[in-house]
Structure formats: structure tokens, C-alpha cells
Amino acid sequence: EIVLTQSPATLSLSPGERATLSCRASQSISSYLAWYQQKPGQAPRLLIYDASNRATGIPARFSGSGSGTDFTLTISSLEPEDFAVYYCQQRSNWPWTFGQGTKVEIK
Amino acid sequence: EVQLLESGGGLVQPGGSLRLSCAASGFTFSNYAMSWVRQAPGKGLEWVSSIISSGGSTFYADSVKGRFTISRDNSKNTLYLQMNSLRAEDTAVYYCAKDERPLVGATPEGTFDYWGQGTLVTVSS
């Protein structure tokens, strides 16, 4: 099973700041990585698929990069609605797995 | 507008059974693989099971293999999850999720672009 390790566990930032979230895979997953955002009491929302492609309707301040084992989600300038938990997920190998999540909180 | 509406959750005793449903609308259901993903209280996301568009192939996490059965009825635009021999560790919100792209090959694509609101399953005596 491929293990995805997200860091940091919590990111404390102010609105307008840049957020950089990391996801590391235990083995190469090519570019088969997605990022999701989840707010309390809500279902996850797809942000990025195949490492760097923004999903429909996702603002340009969200960007993804990486391939192989190291991936990054960047939020260029945090808006108040961006404070949430972010998960990465791989679809390279069965079983599909998620990272443990990074919480982006207001500083 | 794509909508996924789960139902069937509730409180069940250990060893019991429950059947979840997910009613889909707003897209051609029969063209897409579908999945179940769960989230234990205060925890992260865990993929549970997937089924291809025709229903001819199914996939399961080891933690539920042999106890859960995924199925679909394309005439009713509905996805199901039959859960037997339930354990306390199955307690979670269960989400149904749609593949981002129509099925091309023999396996689900594995990126989830739409999710239902979730249904809570609590396994406790």
C-alpha cells in the first residue's frame, strides 16, 4: 500500500499569505495525485487532479506541482474561505490512499 | 447540476447489517465508475470500494473485503453498499463519489469530482 505523508500537519497563516502544502508518497506514483479541500461538516471538494490540473471552477490561486514522490499544493494568497483541511490522494496503485491531511488555520 | 444523495445510514449493533444507497442525477450515471469513501469521526478519508460503469468489476479495501458489497442499478441511477458483519471500526460518515472522467478502460479512474453529503453509520451496542 502506498503511504502518503502530508506536511505540515497544521499551517497557521494570515489572509493574503502564501500557503505551501507538501505530500510525499512512499513510492513513485507518476502524476496520479489529486488534492481535495474539506471544510467542517462538508464533503471534500476536488481542487487539483493529475498533480497540476485545476478542477472545474477552482480559482487560479490554487496550483499543484510535482511528480514521482514529491508534490506541492500552493495557495498563492489565502482568502478567508480557504481555511480548511487539505488532503492528497493517489490513484496510481490499489488501494487508492489519502494523506492524513493538513489543516490550514487562521493565525 | 450533478447531485449525489446518500441514504440508509444509522445505528446498528456489532455484527449487524446495513445497506447504503446513493441516488445520482445531473449526469449520465451509466458512463461513470462510482466509489464509496468513508471518514471516521475526527479522522481522515479512507477509500472503501469502487465499481465500474457496467457493474461488471468491483474493487475493495482490504478492511472491508468479504463483508461489504458494492453494486449499482443503472436503470435507477443508484449506487449501493451492502455492509455485513459490521464492526465498531466501521463507524464513519460514508460518502459516494463520482469519477472525474467517463470510464475508458476496465478500471475506475480514481479522481473524485463530485461527492454526496455523506451518511453516518454508527456501529455500537
Side-chain angles (χ1 to χ4, degrees), chain A residues 8-49:
Chain A
T10 303
L11 201 50
S12 298
L13 295 168
S14 301
E17 289 193 296
R18 182 184 189 90
T20 303
L21 288 67
S22 174
C23 177
R24 177 163 289 178
S26 59
Q27 65 188 74
S28 178
I29 57 171
S30 184
S31 295
Y32 297 122
L33 187 98
W35 290 94
Y36 300 87
Q37 176 194 67
Q38 188 178 34
K39 297 179 182 179
Q42 296 185 17
R45 173 194 182 198
L46 176 66
L47 299 175
I48 301 288
Y49 65 94

Short mmCIF file of all heavy atoms in Angstrom, two decimals, chain A residues 8-49:
data_model
loop_
_atom_site.label_atom_id
_atom_site.label_comp_id
_atom_site.label_asym_id
_atom_site.label_seq_id
_atom_site.Cartn_x
_atom_site.Cartn_y
_atom_site.Cartn_z
N PRO A 8 3.05 20.48 6.57
CA PRO A 8 2.95 20.15 7.99
C PRO A 8 1.56 19.65 8.34
O PRO A 8 0.66 19.69 7.49
CB PRO A 8 3.24 21.49 8.66
CG PRO A 8 2.66 22.49 7.70
CD PRO A 8 2.93 21.91 6.32
N ALA A 9 1.35 19.21 9.56
CA ALA A 9 0.03 18.79 9.99
C ALA A 9 -0.90 19.99 10.10
O ALA A 9 -2.08 19.91 9.78
CB ALA A 9 0.12 18.06 11.33
N THR A 10 -0.36 21.10 10.56
CA THR A 10 -1.11 22.35 10.70
C THR A 10 -0.27 23.50 10.19
O THR A 10 0.94 23.55 10.43
CB THR A 10 -1.50 22.60 12.16
OG1 THR A 10 -2.24 21.48 12.66
CG2 THR A 10 -2.36 23.85 12.29
N LEU A 11 -0.92 24.39 9.48
CA LEU A 11 -0.27 25.57 8.92
C LEU A 11 -1.06 26.79 9.41
O LEU A 11 -2.25 26.90 9.12
CB LEU A 11 -0.29 25.48 7.40
CG LEU A 11 0.67 26.28 6.54
CD1 LEU A 11 2.09 26.12 7.00
CD2 LEU A 11 0.52 25.86 5.10
N SER A 12 -0.41 27.64 10.17
CA SER A 12 -1.07 28.84 10.72
C SER A 12 -0.62 30.06 9.93
O SER A 12 0.55 30.46 10.00
CB SER A 12 -0.72 29.01 12.20
OG SER A 12 -1.17 27.91 12.95
N LEU A 13 -1.55 30.63 9.19
CA LEU A 13 -1.24 31.75 8.31
C LEU A 13 -2.33 32.81 8.38
O LEU A 13 -3.44 32.54 8.85
CB LEU A 13 -1.09 31.27 6.86
CG LEU A 13 0.07 30.31 6.57
CD1 LEU A 13 -0.09 29.70 5.18
CD2 LEU A 13 1.40 31.03 6.70
N SER A 14 -2.02 33.98 7.87
CA SER A 14 -2.99 35.07 7.82
C SER A 14 -3.54 35.21 6.41
O SER A 14 -2.86 34.83 5.43
CB SER A 14 -2.31 36.38 8.23
OG SER A 14 -1.79 36.29 9.53
N PRO A 15 -4.75 35.74 6.28
CA PRO A 15 -5.28 36.01 4.92
C PRO A 15 -4.30 36.85 4.13
O PRO A 15 -3.66 37.77 4.66
CB PRO A 15 -6.58 36.75 5.20
CG PRO A 15 -7.01 36.28 6.54
CD PRO A 15 -5.73 36.08 7.32
N GLY A 16 -4.15 36.50 2.84
CA GLY A 16 -3.23 37.19 1.97
C GLY A 16 -1.86 36.54 1.88
O GLY A 16 -1.10 36.81 0.94
N GLU A 17 -1.55 35.68 2.84
CA GLU A 17 -0.26 34.98 2.81
C GLU A 17 -0.30 33.80 1.84
O GLU A 17 -1.36 33.31 1.45
CB GLU A 17 0.14 34.51 4.21
CG GLU A 17 0.54 35.65 5.14
CD GLU A 17 1.23 35.13 6.40
OE1 GLU A 17 0.57 34.42 7.19
OE2 GLU A 17 2.42 35.46 6.59
N ARG A 18 0.88 33.32 1.52
CA ARG A 18 1.04 32.18 0.63
C ARG A 18 1.11 30.91 1.45
O ARG A 18 1.82 30.85 2.47
CB ARG A 18 2.34 32.35 -0.16
CG ARG A 18 2.64 31.28 -1.18
CD ARG A 18 4.00 31.56 -1.80
NE ARG A 18 4.33 30.72 -2.94
CZ ARG A 18 4.05 31.03 -4.19
NH1 ARG A 18 3.41 32.16 -4.47
NH2 ARG A 18 4.40 30.23 -5.17
N ALA A 19 0.39 29.87 1.01
CA ALA A 19 0.40 28.58 1.70
C ALA A 19 1.05 27.54 0.80
O ALA A 19 0.73 27.43 -0.38
CB ALA A 19 -1.03 28.14 2.04
N THR A 20 1.97 26.77 1.39
CA THR A 20 2.65 25.71 0.66
C THR A 20 2.48 24.41 1.43
O THR A 20 2.96 24.28 2.55
CB THR A 20 4.14 26.02 0.47
OG1 THR A 20 4.28 27.28 -0.21
CG2 THR A 20 4.82 24.93 -0.35
N LEU A 21 1.76 23.46 0.83
CA LEU A 21 1.46 22.18 1.46
C LEU A 21 2.20 21.08 0.71
O LEU A 21 2.24 21.09 -0.52
CB LEU A 21 -0.04 21.90 1.42
CG LEU A 21 -0.96 22.69 2.34
CD1 LEU A 21 -1.03 24.16 1.97
CD2 LEU A 21 -2.36 22.08 2.32
N SER A 22 2.72 20.13 1.46
CA SER A 22 3.52 19.07 0.87
C SER A 22 2.85 17.71 1.02
O SER A 22 2.17 17.45 2.03
CB SER A 22 4.90 19.03 1.54
OG SER A 22 5.65 17.93 1.09
N CYS A 23 3.05 16.84 0.04
CA CYS A 23 2.57 15.47 0.07
C CYS A 23 3.67 14.59 -0.50
O CYS A 23 4.12 14.81 -1.63
CB CYS A 23 1.28 15.35 -0.75
SG CYS A 23 0.61 13.68 -0.87
N ARG A 24 4.12 13.63 0.29
CA ARG A 24 5.20 12.74 -0.15
C ARG A 24 4.68 11.31 -0.20
O ARG A 24 4.09 10.82 0.78
CB ARG A 24 6.38 12.85 0.79
CG ARG A 24 7.54 11.91 0.46
CD ARG A 24 8.81 12.34 1.15
NE ARG A 24 9.35 13.57 0.56
CZ ARG A 24 10.45 14.18 1.01
NH1 ARG A 24 11.10 13.71 2.07
NH2 ARG A 24 10.89 15.26 0.42
N ALA A 25 4.92 10.63 -1.32
CA ALA A 25 4.48 9.25 -1.50
C ALA A 25 5.60 8.28 -1.15
O ALA A 25 6.78 8.57 -1.38
CB ALA A 25 4.02 9.02 -2.93
N SER A 26 5.23 7.11 -0.63
CA SER A 26 6.21 6.11 -0.21
C SER A 26 6.88 5.42 -1.40
O SER A 26 7.91 4.76 -1.23
CB SER A 26 5.56 5.08 0.70
OG SER A 26 4.48 4.44 0.03
N GLN A 27 6.31 5.56 -2.60
CA GLN A 27 6.94 5.11 -3.83
C GLN A 27 6.39 5.95 -4.97
O GLN A 27 5.40 6.67 -4.78
CB GLN A 27 6.68 3.62 -4.08
CG GLN A 27 5.23 3.25 -4.31
CD GLN A 27 5.03 1.75 -4.35
OE1 GLN A 27 5.06 1.07 -3.33
NE2 GLN A 27 4.81 1.23 -5.56
N SER A 28 7.01 5.87 -6.12
CA SER A 28 6.62 6.72 -7.23
C SER A 28 5.18 6.47 -7.66
O SER A 28 4.74 5.32 -7.81
CB SER A 28 7.53 6.49 -8.44
OG SER A 28 7.10 7.30 -9.52
N ILE A 29 4.45 7.56 -7.84
CA ILE A 29 3.07 7.49 -8.31
C ILE A 29 2.89 8.30 -9.59
O ILE A 29 1.78 8.71 -9.94
CB ILE A 29 2.06 7.96 -7.23
CG1 ILE A 29 2.36 9.39 -6.78
CG2 ILE A 29 2.05 7.00 -6.04
CD1 ILE A 29 1.27 9.98 -5.88
N SER A 30 4.00 8.54 -10.30
CA SER A 30 3.96 9.35 -11.52
C SER A 30 3.27 10.68 -11.19
O SER A 30 3.67 11.37 -10.25
CB SER A 30 3.26 8.58 -12.63
OG SER A 30 3.29 9.30 -13.84
N SER A 31 2.22 11.02 -11.94
CA SER A 31 1.47 12.26 -11.64
C SER A 31 0.05 11.98 -11.19
O SER A 31 -0.82 12.84 -11.28
CB SER A 31 1.44 13.16 -12.88
OG SER A 31 2.73 13.60 -13.22
N TYR A 32 -0.18 10.74 -10.70
CA TYR A 32 -1.53 10.33 -10.35
C TYR A 32 -1.92 10.79 -8.95
O TYR A 32 -2.21 9.97 -8.06
CB TYR A 32 -1.67 8.82 -10.49
CG TYR A 32 -1.47 8.33 -11.91
CD1 TYR A 32 -0.49 7.40 -12.21
CD2 TYR A 32 -2.28 8.81 -12.93
CE1 TYR A 32 -0.32 6.95 -13.51
CE2 TYR A 32 -2.11 8.37 -14.24
CZ TYR A 32 -1.13 7.44 -14.52
OH TYR A 32 -0.96 7.00 -15.80
N LEU A 33 -1.92 12.09 -8.76
CA LEU A 33 -2.21 12.66 -7.44
C LEU A 33 -3.26 13.75 -7.56
O LEU A 33 -3.23 14.57 -8.47
CB LEU A 33 -0.94 13.25 -6.82
CG LEU A 33 -1.18 13.70 -5.37
CD1 LEU A 33 -0.71 12.64 -4.39
CD2 LEU A 33 -0.56 15.03 -5.08
N ALA A 34 -4.19 13.73 -6.60
CA ALA A 34 -5.23 14.75 -6.52
C ALA A 34 -5.17 15.44 -5.16
O ALA A 34 -4.66 14.87 -4.19
CB ALA A 34 -6.60 14.13 -6.72
N TRP A 35 -5.68 16.64 -5.12
CA TRP A 35 -5.80 17.41 -3.88
C TRP A 35 -7.29 17.76 -3.66
O TRP A 35 -7.98 18.16 -4.60
CB TRP A 35 -5.00 18.71 -3.95
CG TRP A 35 -3.51 18.55 -3.94
CD1 TRP A 35 -2.69 18.47 -5.02
CD2 TRP A 35 -2.68 18.49 -2.78
NE1 TRP A 35 -1.38 18.35 -4.61
CE2 TRP A 35 -1.34 18.36 -3.23
CE3 TRP A 35 -2.92 18.53 -1.40
CZ2 TRP A 35 -0.26 18.28 -2.35
CZ3 TRP A 35 -1.84 18.45 -0.53
CH2 TRP A 35 -0.53 18.33 -1.01
N TYR A 36 -7.72 17.63 -2.42
CA TYR A 36 -9.09 17.95 -2.04
C TYR A 36 -9.07 18.92 -0.86
O TYR A 36 -8.18 18.89 -0.02
CB TYR A 36 -9.86 16.70 -1.61
CG TYR A 36 -9.97 15.65 -2.69
CD1 TYR A 36 -8.97 14.69 -2.85
CD2 TYR A 36 -11.06 15.60 -3.55
CE1 TYR A 36 -9.05 13.73 -3.83
CE2 TYR A 36 -11.15 14.64 -4.54
CZ TYR A 36 -10.14 13.70 -4.67
OH TYR A 36 -10.23 12.76 -5.66
N GLN A 37 -10.10 19.74 -0.80
CA GLN A 37 -10.33 20.65 0.31
C GLN A 37 -11.57 20.19 1.06
O GLN A 37 -12.58 19.84 0.43
CB GLN A 37 -10.55 22.06 -0.22
CG GLN A 37 -10.90 23.10 0.82
CD GLN A 37 -11.45 24.38 0.16
OE1 GLN A 37 -12.53 24.39 -0.42
NE2 GLN A 37 -10.67 25.45 0.25
N GLN A 38 -11.51 20.19 2.38
CA GLN A 38 -12.69 19.83 3.16
C GLN A 38 -12.88 20.84 4.29
O GLN A 38 -11.97 21.09 5.07
CB GLN A 38 -12.59 18.42 3.73
CG GLN A 38 -13.89 17.97 4.40
CD GLN A 38 -13.82 16.55 4.93
OE1 GLN A 38 -12.79 16.09 5.39
NE2 GLN A 38 -14.95 15.85 4.87
N LYS A 39 -14.09 21.38 4.36
CA LYS A 39 -14.48 22.27 5.45
C LYS A 39 -15.34 21.50 6.44
O LYS A 39 -15.96 20.49 6.06
CB LYS A 39 -15.21 23.48 4.90
CG LYS A 39 -14.33 24.32 3.97
CD LYS A 39 -15.08 25.50 3.40
CE LYS A 39 -14.19 26.29 2.45
NZ LYS A 39 -14.89 27.44 1.85
N PRO A 40 -15.40 21.94 7.70
CA PRO A 40 -16.16 21.20 8.72
C PRO A 40 -17.60 20.95 8.30
O PRO A 40 -18.29 21.86 7.83
CB PRO A 40 -16.09 22.13 9.94
CG PRO A 40 -14.84 22.90 9.74
CD PRO A 40 -14.71 23.11 8.27
N GLY A 41 -18.03 19.70 8.45
CA GLY A 41 -19.40 19.33 8.13
C GLY A 41 -19.72 19.23 6.66
O GLY A 41 -20.88 19.03 6.28
N GLN A 42 -18.70 19.36 5.81
CA GLN A 42 -18.92 19.29 4.36
C GLN A 42 -18.16 18.13 3.74
O GLN A 42 -17.21 17.60 4.31
CB GLN A 42 -18.47 20.60 3.69
CG GLN A 42 -19.27 21.82 4.11
CD GLN A 42 -18.87 23.06 3.32
OE1 GLN A 42 -18.22 22.98 2.27
NE2 GLN A 42 -19.25 24.22 3.83
N ALA A 43 -18.60 17.76 2.55
CA ALA A 43 -17.89 16.75 1.78
C ALA A 43 -16.61 17.35 1.20
O ALA A 43 -16.51 18.57 1.04
CB ALA A 43 -18.77 16.24 0.65
N PRO A 44 -15.64 16.51 0.89
CA PRO A 44 -14.44 17.02 0.21
C PRO A 44 -14.79 17.62 -1.15
O PRO A 44 -15.78 17.25 -1.78
CB PRO A 44 -13.57 15.77 0.06
CG PRO A 44 -14.05 14.84 1.13
CD PRO A 44 -15.52 15.10 1.22
N ARG A 45 -13.91 18.51 -1.60
CA ARG A 45 -14.07 19.21 -2.88
C ARG A 45 -12.79 19.03 -3.67
O ARG A 45 -11.70 19.30 -3.15
CB ARG A 45 -14.34 20.68 -2.63
CG ARG A 45 -14.37 21.60 -3.85
CD ARG A 45 -14.30 23.05 -3.36
NE ARG A 45 -14.37 24.03 -4.43
CZ ARG A 45 -13.99 25.30 -4.28
NH1 ARG A 45 -13.56 25.73 -3.10
NH2 ARG A 45 -14.08 26.14 -5.28
N LEU A 46 -12.90 18.56 -4.91
CA LEU A 46 -11.72 18.36 -5.74
C LEU A 46 -11.14 19.70 -6.16
O LEU A 46 -11.84 20.55 -6.70
CB LEU A 46 -12.09 17.54 -6.99
CG LEU A 46 -10.98 17.32 -8.01
CD1 LEU A 46 -9.87 16.46 -7.41
CD2 LEU A 46 -11.54 16.68 -9.28
N LEU A 47 -9.83 19.87 -5.91
CA LEU A 47 -9.14 21.09 -6.32
C LEU A 47 -8.24 20.86 -7.53
O LEU A 47 -8.27 21.60 -8.50
CB LEU A 47 -8.25 21.60 -5.17
CG LEU A 47 -8.90 21.98 -3.86
CD1 LEU A 47 -7.82 22.33 -2.84
CD2 LEU A 47 -9.87 23.13 -4.05
N ILE A 48 -7.39 19.84 -7.42
CA ILE A 48 -6.34 19.56 -8.39
C ILE A 48 -6.37 18.08 -8.72
O ILE A 48 -6.51 17.25 -7.83
CB ILE A 48 -4.95 19.91 -7.83
CG1 ILE A 48 -4.86 21.39 -7.43
CG2 ILE A 48 -3.84 19.54 -8.83
CD1 ILE A 48 -4.81 22.37 -8.57
N TYR A 49 -6.24 17.73 -10.01
CA TYR A 49 -6.10 16.34 -10.39
C TYR A 49 -4.87 16.15 -11.27
O TYR A 49 -4.39 17.10 -11.88
CB TYR A 49 -7.37 15.82 -11.09
CG TYR A 49 -7.66 16.48 -12.42
CD1 TYR A 49 -7.22 15.93 -13.61
CD2 TYR A 49 -8.40 17.67 -12.47
CE1 TYR A 49 -7.49 16.53 -14.83
CE2 TYR A 49 -8.67 18.28 -13.68
CZ TYR A 49 -8.22 17.71 -14.86
OH TYR A 49 -8.49 18.31 -16.06
#
